[in-house]
Amino acid sequence: MITISLCMIVKNEEQVLDRCLNSVKALVDEVIIVDTGSTDNTKAVAAKYTDRIFHFDWIDDFSAARNVSFSYAACDYILWLDADDWLQERDVQKFKRLKETLDPKVDSVCMDYYVAFDTLGQPTSVYKRNRLVKRARNFQWIDPVHESIEVNGEVLLSDIAVCHGRTHAGTGRNLRIYEGLLERGAVLSGRQLFQYATELTTNGNLEKAIAAYQTIIDDPTAYFELKLECCDRMAHCHRELGRKEQELHALLMTFSCDVPRADYVCRIAYYFQENGDYEKAVNWYQLAIKLEKPEKRLLGVNQMAWTWFPHLQLAACYGKLGRLKEAYAHNETALSYAPNDPNLLNNKKLLKAALKNTKTIGKQA
């Protein structure tokens, strides 16, 4: 069986670090913590799990800190996590089986990353991350912010999921790092430009963000899923600016990057739904529920669009059109994904009453 080093970089994470470490303590053989300048009780929390706690002088470079954390590892494989990450029990059990059975020829295990959740705790936004890497390959982190690890060789795609619950509010730090790079004459890669655009969006610089997203979309060498993300986020920017037609145009551009995906088809449907054009909305939502979710994907997937959301909205649209049987049927399908959702249960009650009333009126007529 393989051995695993957990390597983390932390700063002022006393509120969440215990949850993270407690969730994986049965999976790892050593815990390495690199602290980048905590002023709270982070190191005391870490000391409950390990004595391998190191200091790193912060230099506005996340990759540098992560590479240092990896340098202290001694086990066969390295697992990396952020302090506000954790594993749910079902994924802990999956991870245990992976550890017992992993072929040592595998260089990296790519796992799901749940970064957003609905009100019922179900993941709504899912990415893939190279999460467990072979130490002997000496893979390196790149990019000073929104860093990534460059891997090659044999990569195993796993359905093990790491959950993320962001705790630090945006401070503008990441945007300052990117702008510092640009001031020093750096040329951003496509991935860096995307992350820079994301930081511009977060900080309200929407026009500059749109221009950056468009640059990536126009690049014939850009990865198609990155282009999809750019179209999606450009649509968000236009929406924030009150430009609904441009929002729709950005969403339609996804069709030039890949086959239709429910993520974007549902947003197109919602555009027509908001405009009161329920017939068009129904057609787009019907398309969404017929699509097959891509299996081999690396960037984000909106889980809602592939499960309950189009059915919920079809129930609403059919209700507006007076087609109550179809509205009821789709509400039932949505309930199959979220059987305890109070809104769906209330919809069911209202639709039942409406259908009963319609039958009564029909008999009287």
Side-chain angles (χ1 to χ4, degrees), residues 330-349:
H330 282 285
N331 193 74
E332 286 292 286
T333 303
L335 270 170
S336 71
Y337 292 103
N340 299 315
D341 182 80
N343 293 322
L344 292 172
L345 291 170
N346 188 55
N347 286 350
K348 180 173 184 174
K349 180 180 178 182

Side-chain angles (χ1 to χ4, degrees), residues 116-124 304 308 338 341-343:
F117 301 84
D118 63 22
T119 56
L120 299 176
Q122 298 301 310
T124 58
M304 293 192 308
W308 57 266
D341 182 80
N343 293 322

Side-chain angles (χ1 to χ4, degrees), residues 42 55 79 129 144 147 234 268 282 348:
T42 294
H55 176 76
L79 170 70
R129 291 286 185 271
E147 67 281 11
M234 181 188 290
I268 293 169
V282 162
K348 180 173 184 174

Side-chain angles (χ1 to χ4, degrees), residues 175 179 182 188 190 192-218 226-227 229-241 243 250 253:
L175 182 58
E179 290 180 338
L182 292 170
L188 301 183
Q192 287 175 314
L193 183 60
F194 172 75
Q195 297 294 355
Y196 174 50
T198 300
E199 293 298 334
L200 287 169
T201 304
T202 301
N203 286 274
N205 299 326
L206 302 182
E207 296 289 4
K208 288 180 70 174
I210 289 170
Y213 291 133
Q214 189 65 59
T215 297
I216 298 169
I217 293 168
D218 292 339
L226 188 62
K227 290 188 177 189
E229 288 274 310
C230 287
C231 294
D232 178 68
R233 300 194 185 197
M234 181 188 290
H236 167 78
C237 291
H238 284 305
R239 184 177 181 85
E240 290 294 301
L241 291 166
R243 302 171 183 165
M253 283 198 300

Side-chain angles (χ1 to χ4, degrees), residues 35 38-39 67 86 137 141 145 172 179 203 264 299 306 364:
D35 187 274
S38 293
T39 56
N67 285 329
W86 77 96
R137 292 300 309 275
W141 289 88
V145 63
E179 290 180 338
N203 286 274
Y264 316 116
L299 301 186
W306 296 93
Q364 291 175 345

Side-chain angles (χ1 to χ4, degrees), residues 39-66:
T39 56
D40 64 359
N41 292 318
T42 294
K43 286 190 265 190
V45 174
K48 294 165 52 179
Y49 297 90
T50 183
D51 59 359
R52 305 207 67 201
I53 302 171
F54 305 92
H55 176 76
F56 178 81
D57 289 326
W58 182 243
I59 55 172
D60 278 350
D61 191 326
F62 285 90
S63 285
R66 289 206 189 273

